[in-house]
Amino acid sequence: DVVMTQTPVSLPVSLGGQASISCRSSQSLVHSNGNTYLHWYLQKPGQSPQLLIYRVSNRFSGVPDRFSGSGSGTDFTLKISRVEPEDLGDYYCLQSTHFPPTFGGGTKLELK
Amino acid sequence: QVKLQQSGAELVKPGASVKLSCKTSGYTFSTSYMSWFKQIPGQSIEWIGMIYAGDGGTGYNQKFKGKATLTVDTSSSTAYMDLSSLTTEDSAVYFCARGPGAGDYWGQGVMVTVSS
């Protein structure tokens, strides 16, 4: 299975500040069709994960433009600018290029 | 709007089975995929498998073959997951989500506790 490594595990931030989360895969996530199936989720305490970014850089419906995704191959980044209280929680990357889909270990975004 | 409503929490004995449901609305169920996920509290998420409602075709994570069985009832737009021969290692929150791998809309999750 593809191993997804997220860093950091914990990320203290100040409200209004910026956060950056890294996700690295054990093999390239470029599918044979040319697409890269790397996605980002936020899971708030006691809630189900919510899709933020799909296929590296596409914001899901209703996701504010403070969230941006980038990267290619095996290296990906989620950036959050102007952090707001509702952004706090656990962030996960997920690859669905290779079978089975696999998640990163998660990054906890918390207040400094 | 798209909604996925999962059944309530379960407390089951070791060795037993449990059937979880995921009732959907707001989209065309019969032409969509549904995936299921497992999350032990405090840990990351695992993908269990997926089912295409159109023909009932399934794909499973090798780790969950023999443990999970996915089915659908298109007449009620509901997806099901059977978990068999439960052990304490199956105690977790289980989610359904629309999509073949990356889910876009998720159910609220259901806690399954395996305990004697």
Side-chain angles (χ1 to χ4, degrees):
Chain A
D1 296 359
V2 174
V3 176
M4 304 296 289
T5 303
Q6 277 183 246
T7 55
V9 171
S10 174
L11 182 54
V13 295
S14 300
L15 295 179
Q18 180 165 312
S20 180
I21 300 170
S22 170
C23 179
R24 288 185 172 163
S25 56
S26 59
Q27 54 187 280
S28 174
L29 298 185
V30 181
H31 194 275
S32 56
N33 65 13
N35 290 324
T36 299
Y37 296 94
L38 184 283
H39 323 284
W40 290 95
Y41 291 85
L42 163 60
Q43 186 177 33
K44 300 178 186 179
Q47 296 186 19
S48 53
Q50 55 190 82
L51 180 63
L52 297 172
I53 302 285
Y54 63 95
R55 280 191 275 119
V56 181
S57 60
N58 299 279
R59 276 188 298 277
F60 187 57
S61 174
V63 175
D65 60 7
R66 300 182 291 101
F67 292 88
S68 63
S70 62
S72 62
T74 62
D75 252 307
F76 303 89
T77 301
L78 175 71
K79 283 187 165 52
I80 312 161
S81 60
R82 306 183 305 279
V83 170
E84 298 188 5
E86 59 262 34
D87 301 338
L88 303 180
D90 295 324
Y91 287 80
Y92 295 97
C93 58
L94 163 68
Q95 71 80 23
S96 58
T97 295
H98 302 284
F99 192 89
T102 47
F103 286 83
T107 296
K108 182 177 291 292
L109 187 70
E110 53 194 2
L111 282 180
K112 194 175 288 186
Chain B
Q1 69 279 32
V2 176
K3 287 187 180 179
L4 284 71
Q5 182 66 39
Q6 296 187 240
S7 44
E10 300 273 2
L11 173 60
V12 293
K13 293 191 185 311
S17 298
V18 68
K19 189 169 188 170
L20 309 181
S21 66
C22 175
K23 184 167 177 57
T24 73
S25 61
Y27 71 98
T28 306
F29 179 79
S30 60
T31 58
S32 298
Y33 286 88
M34 186 72 74
S35 286
W36 289 82
F37 301 83
K38 174 185 180 181
Q39 185 176 36
I40 295 172
Q43 297 187 21
S44 185
I45 307 165
E46 295 180 279
W47 182 85
I48 296 172
M50 64 182 178
I51 184 166
Y52 180 61
D55 60 7
T58 54
Y60 293 94
N61 185 333
Q62 183 67 34
K63 179 178 177 180
F64 293 95
K65 279 187 177 177
K67 171 63 63 179
T69 302
L70 305 183
T71 56
V72 293
D73 177 359
T74 52
S75 68
S76 62
S77 299
T78 303
Y80 298 93
M81 179 170 66
D82 267 292
L83 297 171
S84 63
S85 304
L86 291 165
T87 72
T88 55
E89 294 184 355
D90 297 316
S91 293
V93 179
Y94 292 87
F95 297 97
C96 58
R98 186 180 75 166
D104 54 5
Y105 292 92
W106 290 58
Q108 81 276 20
V110 55
M111 182 73 211
V112 174
T113 304
V114 182
S115 174
S116 54

